[in-house]
Every structure is written in structure tokens, then in C-alpha cells.
Amino acid sequence: MPDSDALIATHAPLLAQAREAARTRAYFAAFAESPSTRIWGEAAPPDGRAAFDALLHQTFPLHTPGARGLIAPEVPPYGVPLDISYPHLHADGVDELVRAAKKAMPAWRDAGPEIRSAIGIEILTRINARSFEFAHAVMHTSGQAFVMAFQAGGAHAHERGLEAIAYAYDAMTQVPTAVSWEKARSKGEPQRLAKTFTIVPRGVALVIGCSTFPTWNSYPGFFASLVTGNPVIVKPHPHAVLPLALTVGVARDVLTEYGFDPNLVTLAVDGTGETVASTLAMHPDVRVIDYTGSTSYGEWLEANALQARVFTEKAGVNCVVIDSTDDLNGLAANLAYSLSLYSGQMCTTPQTIFIPRAGIATESGPASVADVVTTLGSALDDLLGDPARAVNMLGAIVDDAVLRRLDEASTAGEVVIKSRAIEHPEFAAARVRTPLVVRAAADADAYRHECFGPIAFIVETADTAASLDAWRRIVEASGSLTASVYSTDADVLAAAHAVALDTGVSMSSNLTTDTYVNQTVAFSDYHGTGANRAANATLTDLAFVADRFRIVETRRPQ
């Protein structure tokens, strides 16, 4: 068996760097985000592709306690059949799975924060070493383009996992494990007690994955729960199983090597329309839940899984307020990129754009709403005019529901920028669409709710004050993860900042170059605030990790 002390020593420098980065919020990257062969070597890309190809049309080699039979539920967005079978967990197997997870917990609890954190980092580094294989898995389940799958599904997800480990380590080590306590008395010997403080996990943790960002959204909760001592059951979205199956496989291998029960990490796969997630969520021994997905199911979990600490990221309406700018072309190019990236299938993508009906002031003089729309359309054409470049920006539509939503949105007002289909040069069956932009009436309902996908609404308002008020009311009703404001007026920016603080929305202002509202950086940017309906937690802070364990004290006379 490998030496646990050696593993702790190996990963101590990286853990220290991550803790310092989380404290200072300075730039820090532990993992390479570029797939360049100068970094990875010439063999890495073909080896990763070969490893992915070897998984296709096979039974995935993983054991799930309580599973019966096999299931192959994935629907590939690029049209490449995966045909990978996984152990099929039915509702009647949940008790067996939870029992196996609970049985594994005591030894993991007793191991302590140092080795748990080191094993968490070991799992991450082994996953990172297989980044090309994972990138293909993310690409062909989520619809992300390859480079985005390599970055967001790989290095950026790994950074978020490491960030969670760093915060968890800090939270667990705030108190000593043992102290000799002494209190003086007026007469006689002091009162002396030996006190011990033990980090005790809440219980079995459940991670419910999403189809669009199976690793990025799952890794913070996965690693936060695991290193704080909780066994983790991973319930992937039926359409995006493979990236999390690979994750669970790596975790089980590492745990086994270091003498722990591999059932500390298990995979629960079911089919579309099945209810295993809800059965697990309501199990009395499931005490922590991480969920990313629809508002309706997230709120159901919050209202019903009362035995568990539930962390949710749900849907929201991300707004853009345009008041004025000194770089209209830069504004349009930046917004076009944000709307196009992964076909708008990001929870942080801007959707509803407020512009005063009288137009805006620009560096070249007044611009009407029509002028702004025309400039945005030109920026989208410049960005997406070349199909080979466009598909690498847009990726593929993840499922039919997004296509239906795209069709429905076109009836919500005047279509000012049409969505068009693009043929993928490599994957003929891929569903690729450019963004749709609709001018919606101020009293329309569609723009007030999330329309997930490549959809944006232009809403004309009486003035910027009305835009800020409309933005506020949308957040209060529907929640929001991001907001973008453009103005050359300091008073307007101050008023917008006040709205962001009041409603708990992360705001960016005057982005015109290569920083985008829908992208966040681990260790510096918080993802969500937990302060409005769109999410009840943020990735990642102490509050995200500290409630996954309790501290149990024992004492005796000394």
C-alpha cells in the first residue's frame, strides 16, 4: 500500500498554493488550460482519443451496489453513437447503495483532514493527466466544442475542485484536534481537562449532475463533500454519464490503493424520466445534496429534502443594461461572444438586454436601438461567418428541448437577428445554431424567464432608470447569476452597483475586450452569490464547505 504520509507531503505545496490563492483572490492556475502539444507532448492527443474510442460500445467497468442490469441512456449531441452501458440503479436498489456508502464512512472519517485532502488532490491530478480522454467524453455528451470541453470540462473544472478542497481544508483545521485546557481556581490546583475535537461528516452526500457541464458543476460539491469525510453518490444526468463515470472510476481506484473502501464514491445511473434522484434525495441517510439544473426541481429539493443540507444552482435571467458606451463595436463584439459561446447553453449567458428607446450615447454620437442591433448583428456575422470557426465557438445543441425553446422564442416578438443552422464540417448530425435575437414588447412575458439556449431579447425602456428598475424586478422574481452594465456615467454605474448589491447578482461593467460576463475564474471569481433565487450557494467559499461536517468534542479530567 502506498505511504499516506508521502502522499500528504507530495501534495502539500499545491494545497498551500491553493489556500493562499483563495485567500488573496489573486490569479492562480494549477492546471494547464491549453491542449497544446508543447505542454502535453505529441502523444497526448492521439492517446486521449484512443482511450475515449476504447470506451465506446462497451460496458463501463464499474460496480454500483444495488444496481440491477445495464443501461445506455446517453443521447450524443454530435451524432456519434456512444452505446456505453452502465450499471442501472433502480429505486429499489437505493437502500443497498446507501448502506454501502455508510459502511465506508467510519474509516474515512477517522483518517482525518490531512489524508482526505491529499487523496482528493491525488484524484484531481490523475483526472487531469487524462484531460484529452475526458475532453472527448465531455464534448460528446454535453455538446461543448472540443477546446471548451478541454478547458471548462477539464482544467477549469479541476481548478474548481481544488478550490473546494482548499476551502474545506481551511474550514476543517480552524480548531485543533486536541488541547490541554486549564482554568485557575482561587484555591488549590487548577481545573484541567483534556479535550479532543473531531471533524464528523454529516453523512452520505449526493451530487446530481447536469447535462451541459457535467464536471465543472459537479466537482466543487463532489470534492467538498468527499474531503470533509462524506461518502459521495454521484447521480449523473442520463445524457451526460461518461465524464462522471470516469471521475468515479478514478476516485475508486485511488481510494482502494490507499486502503479505503471504494464505495466511498459510487455512481447511480438511471434513465430519462426515472426517479432515482428523488428517491436518493429523500433517503434519511442522505445528508448533503448538490444540485445544478432547473428551478422547479431545485426548489422541490429545497422544500422536501429537509434531512439534508441542500446546495442548489438553478435557472435565472441574466440581464444587460446598456446606457452609453465609448466603444460600441467593442460592446457588440463582447456581447456577441457571450451570446455565442456554447450556443448560450450556460447558466451565466446574458439573455435580456435593456436599451432606452431613445437610443444611447456612443463615441461616434447618438445611436438608436436599431443601430445597436445592427452593430450586434455585424459582430455576430464577423464571429460566426466562417463555419469552421463558428462550430468551435457554438458547439452543438445539447438536446431537443433547446431547439423547441428556440422555435418558441421566435414568436415572442420581432425577430431582429435570425438564428441559422450551420453544418458541422466533421459531424454531419450535429445540431448547430447561431443566436436568435428578438425585440420583445416591454410587457411581454418571455424575456422575464430563463430561455436556456442561443436566445436573447432586446427590450426597449423609457430610460436607463426604467432599465435598472426592470432588471431589479426580474432578479427579484426569477433570480440571476450575472449582469452586465454599459455606461460612461459614474452615477449610472453607481446606481447599477446598488441594484447588484440589493439583489445579490455578480455584475460586470463596460466589458469590451477579452473578458466576458459569462466566464469566471477559480480562486478569484465567485460563481453565483447564493443571495437570490438562482442559487442558494456560491462556488466556492467557506459557507459552501463548512456545513458539510460538524465538530464533536470529547473531554476528560487530566
Side-chain angles (χ1 to χ4, degrees), residues 135-156:
H136 286 290
V138 171
M139 174 182 178
H140 287 286
T141 53
S142 72
Q144 295 176 32
F146 178 79
V147 172
M148 184 176 186
F150 189 92
Q151 293 178 339
H156 298 170

Side-chain angles (χ1 to χ4, degrees), residues 218-229:
S218 296
Y219 280 12
F222 175 89
F223 285 100
S225 284
L226 186 63
V227 302
T228 53

Side-chain angles (χ1 to χ4, degrees), residues 19 21 29 56 67 111 127 207 237 251 308 331 340 402 424 431 436 480 507 542 547:
R19 293 171 63 202
L56 305 181
I127 289 171
V207 175
H237 189 285
L331 179 159
S340 302
V402 176
H424 198 292
R431 301 168 293 197
L436 169 75
S480 179
M507 186 187 90
L542 280 171
D547 209 15

Side-chain angles (χ1 to χ4, degrees), residues 25-91:
R25 315 308 295 175
Y27 173 75
F28 171 68
F31 305 104
E33 66 177 359
S34 169
S36 170
T37 54
R38 291 193 299 273
I39 299 170
W40 297 89
E42 295 293 337
D47 286 352
R49 180 56 191 261
F52 168 74
D53 288 342
L55 298 167
L56 305 181
H57 315 295
Q58 304 293 324
T59 297
F60 194 88
L62 201 66
H63 172 66
T64 296
R68 305 287 186 271
L70 298 171
I71 187 171
E74 290 163 314
V75 180
Y78 284 97
V80 176
L82 302 184
D83 190 30
I84 302 172
S85 298
Y86 307 92
H88 188 181
L89 185 72
H90 301 270

